[in-house]
């Protein structure tokens, strides 16, 4: 029986909660959460002049995004408060009656991880009414980041050649680097995929050498796949060095768009979250011949299944 299904009985008030319509919801960084709280009088006498508070007990919550009706509730630090004077349903809770209270809040895109207990991340909230406090815990999917950068001057790693910016009819080589970070839970079976743009080829130069056997190209789909590893521990790239691979590409353009020659599409990183049991994927940014680094911008929302 999950924590979310446990209901407080004594003294004859039942408290339950749903997030986004589920009593056992798994949340993701950056996600919008809709909370629905149910309070039922299951006793033999009525309650009156009630106060209800919800304490959001996690640094993952973005408190600036708390959405409540200001005429019915107020936010005090990390606590939302409803009282009977402004929320009439709390003025009297008759036998058998149930009230529903709702609010919205967003999780931060990312937050600091604990060095002492970084794994198996949760968010927690505590609901209090009529001297009863009920704690609710929800698992959090990990956040993985795939940083994709492009360089002409690769500090002698491969030694790129040709004109930079590229010139029509001439061959130029570039170095693409992928770096993987993992924030909140241990991951396994992690891989990165991206598609080469038309006219772009892989030269075969890859670093480190140990990654060569885990790096493949589908000649039909032009999709590159890097098998990052069977296990990617929590804190990779944050508490330790990121996992990385560099490879050289070559292009001989027939023309150069004013916005830059597309080289490689958006990288997508995916893996199995060992805490939540979900498959999680995140997307990075494409690279063109301007070699603009967009990695400081927030990537699109994750997908889970």
């Amino acid at each position: 029986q999950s924590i979310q299904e446990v209901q407080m009985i004594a003294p004859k008030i039942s408290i339950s909660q749903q997030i986004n319509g589920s009593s056992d919801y798994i949340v993701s960084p950056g996600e919008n959460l809709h909370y629905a709280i149910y309070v039922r009088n299951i006793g033999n006498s009525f309650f009156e002049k009630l106060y209800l508070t919800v304490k959001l007990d996690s640094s993952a919550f973005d408190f600036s995004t708390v959405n409540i009706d200001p005429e019915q509730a107020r936010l005090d630090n990390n606590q939302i408060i409803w009282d009977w004077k402004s929320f009439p349903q709390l003025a009297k809770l008759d036998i058998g009656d149930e009230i529903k209270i709702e609010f919205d809040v967003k999780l931060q895109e990312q937050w600091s991880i604990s060095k002492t207990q970084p794994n198996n991340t949760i968010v927690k909230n505590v609901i209090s009414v009529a001297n009863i406090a009920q704690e609710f815990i929800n698992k959090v999917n990990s956040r993985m980041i795939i940083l994709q950068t492009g360089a002409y001057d690769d500090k002698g790693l491969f030694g790129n050649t040709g004109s930079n910016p590229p010139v029509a009819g001439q061959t130029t080589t570039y170095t693409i680097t992928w770096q993987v970070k993992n924030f909140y839970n241990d991951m396994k079976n992690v891989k990165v995929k991206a598609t080469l743009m038309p006219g772009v080829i892989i030269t075969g130069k890859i670093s480190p050498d140990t990654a060569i056997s885990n790096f493949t190209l589908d000649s039909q789909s032009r999709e590159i796949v890097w098998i990052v590893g069977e296990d990617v521990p929590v804190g990779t790239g944050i508490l330790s060095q990121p996992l990385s691979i560099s490879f050289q590409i070559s292009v001989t353009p027939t023309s150069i768009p004013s916005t830059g020659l597309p080289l490689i599409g958006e990288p997508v990183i995916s893996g199995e979250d060992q805490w939540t049991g979900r498959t999680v994927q995140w997307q990075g940014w494409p690279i063109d011949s301007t070699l603009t680094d967009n990695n400081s911008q927030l990537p699109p929302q994750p997908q889970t299944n």
Side-chain angles (χ1 to χ4, degrees), residues 13 33 60 64 80 103 118 134 148 156 161-162 175 186 188 211 213 215 229 232-234 250 261 264 266 281 304:
I13 279 187
L33 305 179
S64 69
I80 309 172
F103 68 94
Q134 171 72 48
Q148 177 169 257
T161 59
T175 298
D186 289 337
K188 74 172 185 178
S213 61
F215 187 83
V232 177
V234 63
S250 173
L261 182 70
I264 188 169
E266 297 90 346
Q281 71 175 37
T304 61

Side-chain angles (χ1 to χ4, degrees), residues 7-305:
Q7 295 184 336
M8 295 294 294
I9 303 301
K12 306 303 182 182
I13 279 187
S14 166
I15 304 172
S16 59
Q17 169 181 288
Q18 291 185 345
I19 299 178
N20 292 354
S22 171
S23 61
D24 197 17
Y25 192 72
I26 297 174
V27 305
S28 295
E31 187 175 17
N32 291 303
L33 305 179
H34 177 74
Y35 281 74
I37 296 165
Y38 302 89
V39 177
R40 179 185 290 274
N41 182 352
I42 57 174
N44 298 317
S45 59
F46 66 85
F47 292 83
E48 61 181 352
K49 297 182 179 179
L50 293 173
Y51 290 80
L52 185 145
T53 63
V54 177
K55 182 181 180 182
L56 301 173
D57 189 12
S58 173
S59 59
F61 291 109
D62 183 349
F63 295 103
S64 69
T65 67
V66 171
N67 185 13
I68 52 178
D69 185 337
E71 295 183 357
Q72 296 182 342
R74 66 183 187 274
L75 178 65
D76 185 2
N77 294 320
N78 64 339
Q79 193 165 246
I80 309 172
I81 303 168
W82 290 262
D83 67 64
W84 63 275
K85 295 176 184 177
S86 55
F87 193 75
Q89 290 174 281
L90 290 170
K92 186 176 182 181
L93 188 62
D94 278 322
I95 299 168
D97 281 358
E98 180 179 76
I99 61 173
K100 178 181 180 182
I101 291 176
E102 300 175 274
F103 68 94
D104 295 278
V105 65
K106 185 178 180 180
L107 291 192
Q108 298 190 68
E109 298 288 345
Q110 64 186 51
W111 58 93
S112 298
I113 64 175
S114 168
K115 293 183 179 180
T116 57
Q117 191 177 5
N119 205 13
N120 299 349
T121 302
I122 62 169
V123 293
K124 181 172 68 175
N125 68 288
V126 180
I127 302 171
S128 301
V129 63
N131 296 318
I132 302 169
Q134 171 72 48
E135 179 182 274
F136 294 87
I137 290 175
N138 293 83
K139 293 181 177 182
V140 180
N141 286 311
S142 192
R143 173 188 174 90
M144 291 190 295
I145 290 180
I146 175 63
L147 301 176
Q148 177 169 257
T149 55
Y152 179 77
D153 180 5
D154 63 4
K155 312 301 181 184
L157 179 63
F158 300 133
N160 290 308
T161 59
S163 177
N164 181 46
V167 174
Q170 297 184 23
T171 299
T172 300
T173 60
Y174 297 95
T175 298
I176 303 297
T177 298
W178 287 343
Q179 287 189 325
V180 169
K181 297 182 179 182
N182 178 33
F183 278 79
Y184 302 121
N185 308 316
D186 289 337
M187 302 291 297
K188 74 172 185 178
N189 299 329
V190 176
K191 58 186 175 182
V192 179
K193 296 181 178 182
T195 302
L196 293 175
M197 296 295 101
V200 178
I201 63 173
I202 297 284
T203 68
K205 293 183 178 181
I206 299 171
S207 179
D209 291 340
T210 53
I212 292 176
S213 61
N214 296 324
F215 187 83
T216 59
L217 169 66
D218 185 321
S219 58
Q220 296 296 320
S221 66
R222 302 182 55 75
E223 184 178 70
I224 307 169
V225 179
W226 173 36
I227 305 300
V228 180
E230 183 176 340
D231 297 296
V232 177
V234 63
T236 296
I238 301 99
L239 304 179
S240 63
Q241 290 298 311
L243 299 174
S244 66
I245 189 173
S246 296
F247 53 94
Q248 190 184 59
I249 60 174
S250 173
V251 63
T252 307
T254 56
S255 61
I256 310 294
S258 59
T259 55
L261 182 70
L263 299 175
I264 188 169
E266 297 90 346
V268 175
I269 186 169
S270 63
E272 300 170 25
D273 191 310
Q274 294 301 280
W275 170 233
T276 66
R278 301 292 181 86
T279 297
V280 179
Q281 71 175 37
W282 292 79
Q283 184 173 298
W285 298 101
I287 292 290
D288 61 36
S289 60
T290 66
L291 304 179
T292 301
D293 186 347
N294 292 316
N295 289 308
S296 61
Q297 301 180 44
L298 293 175
Q301 286 285 328
Q303 297 178 359
T304 61
N305 55 55

